[in-house]
Amino acid sequence: MEIMPKSPIGKGWNLRHTYTSLPEKFFANQKPQSVADPGMVLLNEPLADSLGLDFEDSDEKQLARLFAGNSLPPDSMAIAQAYAGHQFGNFTMLGDGRAVLLGEQEAPDETLWDLQLKGSGRTPFSRRGDGRATLKSMLREFLISEAMHGLGIPSTRSLAVVSTGEPVYRERVQAGAVLTRVAKSHIRVGTFEYAAQYLGTENLKALMDYTIKRHYPHVAGDAFPALAFFKEVVNQQAALIAQWMRVGFIHGVMNTDNMSIAGETIDYGPCAFVNAYHSETVFSSIDTQGRYAFGNQPKVALWNLSCLASSLLPLIHENKETAITLAKEAVYSFTDRYQERYEQMMGEKLGLGAKRETDRELISDLLDVLSELKLDYTHAFLFLQGDFESEEQSGFLHPKFQDWWMRWTKRVVTDGRSLEQVQQLMRPYNPQVIPRNHLVEEVLDQAVNGDIRPLYRLLEVVQNPYNLDRSLRPYQSVPAAEWEMGYQTFCGT
Ligand code: AMP
Ligand code: MG
């Protein structure tokens, strides 16, 4: 395996390794394992650019070797990170079983970005897994994470996908791939659970101090830094989940190892988007109890945050009782933080302007009507903001929806605003397109069968989701009811 090429592939490398300053139990040194025949599939040039990386002079073969892990960038020090987590409520030791962190790229604005290869081979944390990823699932992560970014929602990003030329054995034999993931960091709730459970208070404190320095430096001088840090994470999560609810995003596997301390959406396994509105919508094949259903996401975030609080207890206060009292109060503050974010978000989607007491009811009545009439969540807001002709959307002519619409128009046109003005204000909050599940599956199937062009096109469209363009109508289509009924997503990694 050629690890160090004669001259580096790409320009602008500036890798740091701050994570390796943590005690060594937090990671294992682990180089990516070379693949047979790397082939470039996707490269995110604007993202590379923002990281200060320039691949213009590199040929495709070289780039494929780089993003497959066959050649390492200069000064990389690859590691697999250790973490634990509650998966569907059960505590387990985990860790990067098929990913390695190459380092943290310092961007021109001096911010640090984790560069991680996912699907890069076995690590000490692989348990029974093969360390590999399928092309379809890595293309899915690329597409959805970039769509989330386009929607304005904090998310890990995707820099590249390469095919490995190697088979991956799942229920069926599939093509293998490696994704390059870019994140503010890969520190998870589960990283803290791991430290608290196995490494003792001193190591736990080292992790917290590191995390504060990296993500929440303003709380470093606080009289109760652990509590202040925890409250920051609570705020970030409240903001994030409200944003998911804005666009109908269902994460699908909100285990504590898949919740980022930096507040980014992370781990696009069985995620999907709501079409016809229903709070109990769930698509993931393994979520048989609906634990991670659309409307449950705020509750699950609260549950996950309580795991984080438990892990932080010894750092919150030296007196255990006091620590528990303070932690409980902070955990429960999530409900208020979330409610504030949610109401603000819905207010923006509906153009409500200054808050009124009756707004809560107006919002919940809308959701009841949508769910009863099985109306599309995204379309409903486009209809309200005048971007859909009513003939195209006969469901919105139903008397129950029309009654609600009358109430809403009366509510928004007060304060001297015209309906057109209100609609104009709503547009930045209501996407014209979301990555519809049926379209995502269609382009992924085409891509793994050799035609990548439809995926490129969908990617382009979902990266600019507020763009009002009549030619995008096909991307606004909803799936047939039968399709939706049978749709399941798989962790199918
Ligand atoms: P996820 O469900 O993707 O969040 O993964 C949960 C855990 O399983 C993480 O520790 C992953 O690293 C690990 N894992 C998932 N797929 C594989 C695989 N193919 N080989 C090894 N470990 C894996
Ligand atoms: Mg995960």
Side-chain angles (χ1 to χ4, degrees), residues 66-129:
L66 172 72
F67 291 116
N70 285 23
S71 306
L72 291 179
D75 303 321
S76 66
M77 244 166 81
I79 59 166
Q81 292 175 318
Y83 53 87
H86 277 89
Q87 299 191 305
F88 290 90
N90 304 307
F91 186 74
T92 332
M93 179 59 203
L94 296 161
D96 289 334
R98 52 164 176 167
V100 294
L101 180 69
L102 296 178
E104 303 124 24
Q105 168 74 5
E106 189 178 323
D109 65 1
E110 294 181 4
T111 49
L112 286 188
W113 298 92
D114 272 16
L115 292 193
Q116 190 200 58
L117 299 183
K118 183 170 173 182
S120 55
R122 291 182 56 87
T123 78
F125 308 108
S126 296
R127 296 172 293 164
R128 266 182 244 146

Side-chain angles (χ1 to χ4, degrees), residues 83 87 118 181 188 253 257-258 266-267:
Y83 53 87
Q87 299 191 305
K118 183 170 173 182
R181 177 156 72 180
R188 309 144 190 269
V253 61
D257 53 304
N258 293 335
I266 186 169
D267 236 329

